[in-house]
Amino acid sequence: MNKKTLLATCCVALMGMTGVAHADLAVGIAGPMTGQYASNGDQIRKGAEQAVADINAKGGVLGQKLKLEVGDDACDPKQAVSVANTMVNKKIVFMHGHWCSSSTIPASDVYNESQILMATVSTNPKVTDRGLKNIFRIMGSDDQQGKVGGDYIADHMQGKKVAVLDDKSAYGKGLADEIAKELAVKSITPVLRESITAGEKDYTGIISKLKTASVDVLAYGGYHTEVALLLRQAEQADLKLTVISGDTMTNSELVTAAGPAANNVMFTFAPDPRKNADSAAVVKEFRDAGVEPEGYVLYAYAAMQLFADAANKAGSVKYTDLRKAMASNTFNTVVGPLSFDDKGNLKSPGFVMYKWQDGKYDSVQ
Amino acid sequence: MAQALQQLINGLTLGSVYGLIAIGYTMVYGIIGMINFAHGDVYMVSAFIAVTTFTLLAALGVSSVPLALLVVLVVAVLFTSAYGWTVERTAYRPLRNSTRLAPLISAIGMSIFLQNMVQVTQGARVKPVPPMLSDGITLFTSGSYSVRISSAQILIIVLTVVLMAGFTWLITRTAFGRQQRACEQDRLVTAFLGYNVDRIISLTFMIGAALAAVAGVMVTMYYGVVDFYIGFVAGIKAFTAAVLGGVGSLPGAMLGGLIIGLLESFWASYLSPEYKDIGTFVILIMVLMFRPSGLLGRPEVEKV
Amino acid sequence: MTAIVHAHHTPTLSERLKDASAAAFIALILGIPMIGMTTVDQGGFLAVMTRWPQLALFVGLTFAGRILFSLALETIKRRSQGRKSGKSAASAAEAANAALKRGTKPESVIGWLAVGIAVALPIFFSEDRYIIDIATSVLIYIMLGWGLNVVVGLAGLLDLGYVAFYAVGAYTYALLSTQFGWGFWEALPVAGGLAALFGVLLGWPTLRLRGDYLAIVTLGFGEIIRLLLVNWTELSGGPNGITSIPRPSVFGYAFLPPDTEGSIADLLGIEFSPMHRLLFLYYLILLLALLTNLFVTAMRRLPLGRAWEAVREDEIACKAMGINVTTVKLSAFAIGAMLGGFAGVFFAARQGFISPESFTFSESAIILAIVVLGGMGSQLGVVLAALVLVMLPELGRDFAEYRMLLFGFAMIVIMVWRPGGILANRAPTLIHVPTGDKA
């Protein structure tokens, strides 16, 4: 992993060196490049790198080549703020990130102050609810995601006992709250509503609680590592759980850690962009390069397309022009057409239920 | 009632792990009077060695779980003892006759070093191993609740009991044990009697590391997920256990470990799972305030 | 360290090679599971990846390093022996006096020089946001270092949970400003006072504890505060922290974009630039740090300050002399905590965002390392250590992951090499010189 980071750093440095003469446009991505959620950061980087290469191959944006700056926040809000400051110093004109909602929220204040446009995949409603003008979300939000999750439980798991659990992160608690809200609408009362602390290893206490309440369905807001631990410890306690969670479960490390128990995980995620007809060429390009464009890869690609398109339409990379172009147009990207409402939310978001099965996930009806 | 029994089993499992690590703290404190701050990180290193060995065995096609566990245990104990030895040799021995604070600071340095060494060489991501021994025995069923003990839990508890018995024999009945206890009483006199004190201290660190390695393998197998941070948390709890039982007392370390494990289990399932660690630390402070020598410890006399 | 055992015997080449081979062998054993092998996720399962070339390099380096080290040790020892025999046995008082003179004079010159550089820095780098940011960070750590120095360096109480007071200060300001609209200057004394209260709260139950027990309890206290902040979501926002903390203002005028109410740029009729705020923050922390320094220096001259050092040297003797050890220790805890609280307020105001992640044990360890590496008790040592520890990772920014590794390594090496720190200044502020003149 070190060698990879080193290599990537060298690549970025090289790209920087070769490009200085042409006065490149710096664009940034930020996410967890190291730490627990590094594989998601990796997806973002792969997608963005490919997109930048493709855009530059076609002559760049407004005659200028793009230069990609990579920031690593390890999903730690504190590091996210310092990454944001570094990015401002590097004079980026566009940021795709961050990934964790708890990183995006504090970092967006910094970008807003320096008037840098952002496109993010963070799903917490608070990301776009704070009146910031510089942020656009290219994925649905947790209230939409939670509604789909809650509806699925209500429609397909009637009569089952449901518990709602979260890890207290901005993302996890937000998602769990939305699921609980939707369950209440469908007049289902969860038998338990609890929080756990992420990063621990022993969850046997909460498993015992779930078992006492004979819970069948666990609606969980949080990240994949804790789900894997919960499932393993449930299995040891002979408790059969079906987990309903959100977009963070796309990570294949879930399968490594949970083993066959991962087959009990269902989650909501945007419709698989790999199945779009428009994305076929790009998907092939990724696969030829040995990268499976799963999870956030195509979203990162789309974010860069979005920026290039908006800049071309605005005829400038000045913040005010870019923002206006972004807010008033529809953009065709590899994840489908994107257009935004006043808050910067996607106008037509969609979430579908997926299920892990033997190391792969696929949508279910 | 059924839930309480279940948490008793879970707590005993957790407590056994803490106890095994706590022995390393207590032995080192007994013999050279310092907190080996890096002990928790030595345990963490052993867990990573276990993950690598498990993965290697799986790649080599070893499918028998008992055989794999045996091999992993031996490998982890050997390599981790080497780490224990090196820690003492490089960071503590040069400071043995220095002020009381100097080895503590270098121990903290060693702890930071080990943690980051693992982070740099093995990566910061969690390392999972596939589930094993997750089958078990249902003890009894009350209503819809079945009290269950998994094979992994049985293994952890049985292994801890066996190790404790063997270890007690080692300390009370063998020549090494007598030398070790002599060292605890008076290092200088032990040296005058012709025993190699350096060797005894080195062996003490290696034994402590070996027991931590057993705990590391057990945790890897039981939870299936390790990361570079587990050493800090487990270390601080095991140290609390050692202090609770009375630093320097071997049965005390085990007792303290069990108490902390049970406390955590019951706290998590009956009170709030979020505040269980605060509970542990509050108990540590209370014990040190009111009974600084712990439950089974000898009171320390301040020398003027 | 075989060389220490055979102090008067110069090892032969074959002995050196043997010793280095042994070290290399141990490096090989330790390196196999960590450097030689690692596991990587292959999308659903782990696979072992080997790195034998790196392992070979590591073993080779250990071998060469061991030989060089033993040679260097030999040279140093020969030199110091030569020096020792050449020197006549100077009286203890003379030596102490000389040391004191040597220690104070250049130190004060360097100190003034450092202040001058710090004041002038923004004039040369007024447009370089990066430099100003780093300089501000350095100053925060200097201030924290000076605060902790009171507890560890002067009073000799090992505190591993200092970051708790930093957190108390930061959260107090964050909550007062976001919930009740308090300004920076109103919140500063309150936060400092609250932190001092926490200092006493920690100090009280731990009065009887010594050395390593105290260290563990303070560590536990730091963790309790952090866990409370993580879990008490209603108060602290939990792991997500508190966002949109207002920045400090000047007499009610804030550094806001033009045409906003209360914008200082409009008031002064100058063009708005975000740099103005950064420069203001820089001078603010410089001021706070200098006040801290003056305060601590003044304290050292007072009876209370001298009592801290006396308790550090011999607690039992102090008790026998009738010094109230309880007051002495508690005051050290309270003052150290208060200074940490001030630094916390500034940190929150500068970041505009705080979360429990900023207040982990490793932060405590860094602050402690600044104090220890600088030489416990030395004010200038803290500045040097803070400069090194903040700049080091910045110099090799892409290798930031090695930062803490080197950090831990440096802690061990410096402790083994100089158990007193780089600029060990354990000499008391006041010493008695037989000739009668006081220093």
Side-chain angles (χ1 to χ4, degrees):
Chain A
M1 206 189 89
N2 273 316
K3 262 166 85 188
K4 252 198 307 190
T5 346
L6 200 65
L7 208 67
T9 322
C10 289
C11 283
V12 173
L14 270 177
M15 276 159 65
M17 270 193 267
T18 50
V20 176
H22 312 282
D24 292 350
L25 279 179
V27 291
I29 55 167
M33 303 298 159
T34 59
Q36 250 187 312
Y37 312 115
S39 45
N40 295 98
D42 210 39
Q43 291 176 350
I44 293 174
R45 177 156 62 196
K46 280 180 181 144
E49 274 168 358
Q50 187 67 50
V52 166
D54 287 357
I55 292 168
N56 283 345
K58 284 181 200 146
V61 173
L62 302 173
Q64 285 173 291
K65 300 264 183 204
L66 294 186
K67 188 181 124 195
L68 190 67
E69 299 284 355
V70 182
D72 173 22
D73 64 15
C75 267
D76 164 9
K78 177 192 162 201
Q79 288 186 45
V81 172
S82 82
V83 164
N85 278 319
T86 317
M87 287 291 174
V88 170
N89 283 337
K90 288 183 175 161
K91 306 216 164 16
I92 58 162
V93 290
F94 171 75
M95 157 57 64
H96 171 56
H98 297 199
W99 183 71
C100 287
S101 296
S102 42
S103 289
T104 307
I105 294 171
S108 62
D109 283 329
V110 178
Y111 297 120
N112 185 47
E113 204 177 70
S114 306
Q115 308 210 308
I116 293 168
L117 207 67
M118 299 170 72
T120 181
V121 290
S122 294
T123 47
N124 190 293
K126 252 175 85 183
V127 169
T128 50
D129 272 356
R130 293 164 304 144
L132 298 185
K133 294 272 177 239
N134 68 324
I135 193 160
F136 293 90
R137 174 160 40 209
I138 58 174
M139 194 177 263
S141 64
D142 288 338
D143 35 5
Q144 296 150 344
Q145 182 165 204
K147 188 173 180 319
V148 173
D151 283 346
Y152 190 88
I153 295 172
D155 298 342
H156 294 82
M157 298 167 168
Q158 283 146 350
K160 302 269 171 107
K161 285 189 174 160
V162 184
V164 181
L165 201 65
D166 69 59
D167 69 349
K168 284 192 258 182
S169 67
Y171 164 75
K173 185 166 186 311
L175 177 61
D177 282 347
E178 294 299 339
I179 294 178
K181 210 196 278 173
E182 183 62 18
L183 287 177
V185 171
K186 303 268 171 167
S187 46
I188 296 171
T189 320
V191 289
L192 264 181
R193 176 77 181 88
E194 290 265 357
S195 292
I196 57 168
T197 307
E200 285 184 354
K201 297 287 170 279
D202 189 279
Y203 293 119
T204 49
I206 192 78
I207 292 292
S208 265
K209 263 187 173 175
L210 295 175
K211 206 172 158 184
T212 311
S214 17
V215 169
D216 310 296
V217 178
L218 176 67
Y220 181 75
Y223 297 89
H224 67 276
T225 319
E226 282 72 33
V227 169
L229 280 165
L230 284 166
L231 281 173
R232 281 182 82 131
Q233 287 167 32
E235 201 182 336
Q236 293 198 338
D238 202 17
L239 172 67
K240 299 267 176 295
L241 277 182
T242 302
V243 174
I244 302 277
S245 190
D247 53 317
T248 46
M249 298 304 135
T250 47
N251 197 318
S252 63
E253 277 178 7
L254 173 74
V255 182
T256 321
N263 289 349
N264 301 331
V265 178
M266 303 180 82
F267 61 94
T268 45
F269 191 51
D272 194 342
R274 282 178 287 183
K275 292 178 179 165
N276 282 357
D278 303 350
S279 70
V282 177
V283 167
K284 189 176 174 311
E285 193 181 23
F286 272 111
R287 286 188 177 146
D288 288 348
V291 176
E292 179 55 38
E294 58 184 342
Y296 299 91
V297 175
L298 287 174
Y299 281 88
Y301 193 97
M304 291 300 152
Q305 281 187 312
L306 179 70
F307 163 72
D309 223 3
N312 283 331
K313 279 184 174 136
S316 136
V317 289
K318 268 183 70 185
Y319 170 71
T320 37
D321 301 339
L322 265 182
R323 212 203 97 71
K324 203 185 282 167
M326 202 81 129
S328 53
N329 284 300
T330 301
F331 302 91
N332 282 314
T333 68
V334 287
V335 297
L338 300 177
S339 59
F340 303 96
D341 65 11
D342 294 343
K343 279 181 167 179
N345 280 327
L346 212 53
K347 268 185 186 159
S348 50
F351 275 103
V352 203
M353 191 57 89
Y354 288 83
K355 188 177 188 311
W356 275 104
Q357 192 65 54
D358 305 325
K360 286 196 174 70
Y361 63 81
D362 208 348
S363 54
V364 289
Q365 292 316 306
Chain B
M1 183 56 215
Q3 190 185 348
L5 193 66
Q6 183 70 61
Q7 282 318 99
L8 185 73
I9 294 168
N10 293 342
L12 284 177
T13 315
L14 195 59
S16 301
V17 171
Y18 289 154
L20 284 176
I21 308 172
I23 289 174
Y25 278 107
T26 234
M27 277 176 72
V28 166
Y29 195 93
I31 199 162
I32 55 173
M34 70 164 284
I35 299 171
N36 178 9
F37 215 92
H39 188 59
D41 297 288
V42 169
Y43 149 81
M44 179 268 299
V45 165
S46 79
F48 272 84
I49 295 173
V51 170
T52 308
T53 320
F54 270 129
T55 314
L56 204 60
L57 287 177
L60 292 175
V62 178
S63 54
S64 148
V65 174
L67 179 66
L69 263 176
L70 191 71
V71 174
V72 171
L73 265 176
V74 171
V75 170
V77 163
L78 287 178
F79 279 106
T80 314
S81 312
Y83 269 89
W85 182 85
T86 314
V87 165
E88 192 269 337
R89 191 73 176 77
T90 53
Y92 306 152
R93 191 177 294 180
L95 292 169
R96 198 172 295 155
N97 297 315
S98 185
T99 56
R100 225 175 138 88
L101 287 190
L104 183 69
I105 300 278
S106 91
I108 295 172
M110 182 52 87
S111 159
I112 294 175
F113 178 80
L114 286 177
Q115 227 178 73
N116 286 278
M117 188 263 300
V118 169
Q119 197 183 349
V120 166
T121 60
Q122 302 287 311
R125 289 195 217 172
V126 296
K127 297 276 180 190
V129 293
M132 59 192 96
L133 297 182
S134 49
D135 56 326
I137 308 160
T138 304
L139 295 180
F140 72 90
T141 311
S142 103
S144 62
Y145 197 103
S146 57
V147 177
R148 192 178 148 91
I149 181 164
S150 72
S151 308
Q153 289 175 319
I154 297 175
L155 180 66
I156 291 176
I157 295 171
V158 168
L159 199 61
T160 306
V161 170
V162 170
L163 277 174
M164 274 312 287
F167 188 68
T168 315
W169 173 80
L170 180 79
I171 291 297
T172 54
R173 296 271 186 275
T174 65
F176 167 74
R178 276 191 296 278
Q179 290 163 22
Q180 211 268 348
R181 280 179 291 144
C183 248
E184 277 190 27
Q185 294 298 325
D186 199 322
R187 237 166 33 215
L188 206 58
V189 173
T190 315
F192 283 154
L193 289 174
Y195 296 111
N196 186 345
V197 172
D198 280 347
R199 199 180 128 262
I200 298 170
I201 293 176
S202 282
L203 272 171
T204 306
F205 270 87
M206 288 170 78
I207 291 170
L211 290 175
V214 175
V217 174
M218 292 296 115
V219 159
T220 309
M221 169 204 76
Y222 182 48
Y223 295 127
V225 173
V226 302
D227 61 57
F228 71 94
Y229 204 63
I230 57 170
F232 176 72
V233 183
I236 194 84
K237 284 183 184 158
F239 179 75
T240 307
V243 172
L244 185 66
V247 176
S249 152
L250 298 176
M254 207 59 232
L255 178 72
L258 291 179
I259 293 176
I260 299 278
L262 288 170
L263 178 95
E264 234 175 70
S265 272
F266 280 93
W267 194 303
S269 84
Y270 287 98
L271 299 164
S272 132
E274 305 160 25
Y275 289 101
K276 69 177 162 59
D277 286 359
I278 291 186
T280 312
F281 290 123
V282 168
I283 291 209
L284 170 71
I285 294 178
M286 301 290 254
V287 168
L288 283 177
M289 265 173 77
F290 297 111
R291 208 183 150 82
S293 50
L295 297 175
L296 303 180
R298 304 178 294 261
E300 200 182 344
V301 183
E302 198 171 312
K303 286 176 197 152
V304 180
Chain C
M1 253 132 275
T2 357
I4 291 172
V5 184
H6 316 285
H8 301 289
H9 159 75
T10 313
T12 62
L13 183 69
S14 80
E15 272 174 332
R16 281 222 173 98
L17 287 178
K18 222 169 146 188
D19 175 56
S21 307
F25 176 70
I26 292 160
L28 178 70
I29 299 282
L30 298 183
I32 287 173
M34 285 293 135
I35 299 171
M37 287 191 264
T38 187
T39 46
V40 280
D41 195 277
Q42 301 283 18
F45 63 95
L46 282 185
V48 174
M49 192 180 84
T50 54
R51 293 178 294 206
W52 304 126
Q54 282 94 327
L55 179 63
L57 183 71
F58 173 67
V59 172
L61 281 177
T62 312
F63 184 79
R66 181 75 196 180
I67 288 183
L68 287 178
F69 175 73
S70 85
L71 284 174
L73 205 71
E74 195 61 35
T75 323
I76 291 169
K77 192 162 294 160
R78 213 173 297 141
R79 255 190 228 155
S80 75
Q81 267 170 5
R83 208 181 298 151
K84 238 182 241 164
S85 54
K87 223 179 184 179
S88 67
S91 83
E94 230 175 292
N97 208 4
L100 195 69
K101 273 192 185 148
R102 204 161 7 112
T104 35
K105 275 238 170 124
E107 200 165 302
S108 75
V109 172
I110 296 171
W112 281 110
L113 207 67
V115 172
I117 293 173
V119 172
L121 184 84
I123 299 172
F124 300 110
F125 299 103
S126 66
E127 285 309 310
D128 196 334
R129 187 185 167 125
Y130 176 67
I131 301 253
I132 301 296
D133 266 344
I134 300 284
T136 311
S137 300
V138 171
L139 283 169
I140 292 182
Y141 279 104
I142 289 177
M143 190 171 165
L144 286 168
W146 280 339
L148 184 61
N149 206 359
V150 170
V151 187
V152 180
L154 297 182
L157 302 162
L158 187 60
D159 186 347
L160 291 181
Y162 191 63
V163 82
F165 310 122
Y166 188 40
V168 167
Y171 271 88
T172 309
Y173 172 62
L175 289 171
L176 286 177
S177 62
T178 54
Q179 304 295 320
F180 305 104
W182 285 40
F184 179 82
W185 297 105
E186 295 138 41
L188 193 66
V190 177
L194 202 64
L197 192 72
F198 271 82
V200 175
L201 202 69
L202 167 66
W204 193 259
T206 55
L207 280 172
R208 289 197 302 159
L209 302 173
R210 293 180 61 98
D212 3 25
Y213 279 112
L214 179 68
I216 288 295
V217 170
T218 50
L219 190 153
F221 180 77
E223 280 296 294
I224 289 177
I225 298 284
R226 190 184 65 81
L227 287 166
L228 272 176
L229 292 175
V230 171
N231 289 308
W232 195 355
T233 321
E234 296 76 23
L235 179 83
S236 65
N240 309 310
I242 300 175
T243 46
S244 310
I245 301 167
R247 311 301 171 94
S249 57
V250 187
F251 305 114
Y253 290 95
F255 293 87
L256 292 171
D259 307 322
T260 328
E261 204 193 316
S263 164
I264 203 162
D266 282 357
L267 178 81
L268 300 175
I270 50 172
E271 202 188 327
F272 167 76
S273 153
M275 273 311 289
H276 292 157
R277 195 189 64 223
L278 293 179
L279 290 175
F280 171 67
L281 285 172
Y282 173 78
Y283 279 115
L284 182 62
I285 183 69
L286 184 61
L287 179 77
L288 287 175
L290 288 177
L291 285 176
T292 305
N293 189 20
L294 286 178
F295 177 70
V296 174
T297 316
M299 284 304 292
R300 287 179 75 158
R301 302 230 164 85
L302 292 177
L304 181 62
R306 291 175 191 163
W308 289 341
E309 294 179 53
V311 168
R312 173 190 70 191
E313 295 303 325
D314 196 331
E315 193 178 326
I316 294 165
C318 281
K319 274 185 196 155
M321 297 289 291
I323 292 176
N324 186 343
V325 176
T326 308
T327 325
V328 171
K329 282 187 174 179
L330 284 185
S331 65
F333 265 121
I335 286 173
M338 181 184 72
L339 294 172
F342 288 153
V345 173
F346 178 80
F347 176 76
R350 176 205 182 203
Q351 295 289 99
F353 162 79
I354 50 167
S355 72
E357 281 295 329
S358 301
F359 308 104
T360 53
F361 169 69
S362 67
E363 204 74 11
S364 278
I366 291 174
I367 306 169
L368 182 70
I370 286 176
V371 175
V372 175
L373 294 183
M376 288 183 240
S378 164
Q379 301 281 87
L380 196 63
V382 166
V383 177
L384 279 179
L387 265 174
V388 171
L389 288 187
V390 181
M391 301 294 283
L392 200 71
E394 290 300 329
L395 291 177
R397 273 206 310 173
D398 295 322
F399 301 98
E401 52 192 75
Y402 293 96
R403 166 188 154 179
M404 290 304 285
L405 186 76
L406 290 173
F407 195 89
F409 187 67
M411 268 176 99
I412 303 169
V413 170
I414 291 178
M415 266 299 121
V416 171
W417 171 51
R418 296 196 65 157
I422 306 171
L423 287 184
N425 191 6
R426 210 180 162 89
T429 313
L430 181 83
I431 56 165
H432 176 69
V433 182
T435 46
D437 54 315
K438 279 187 178 178

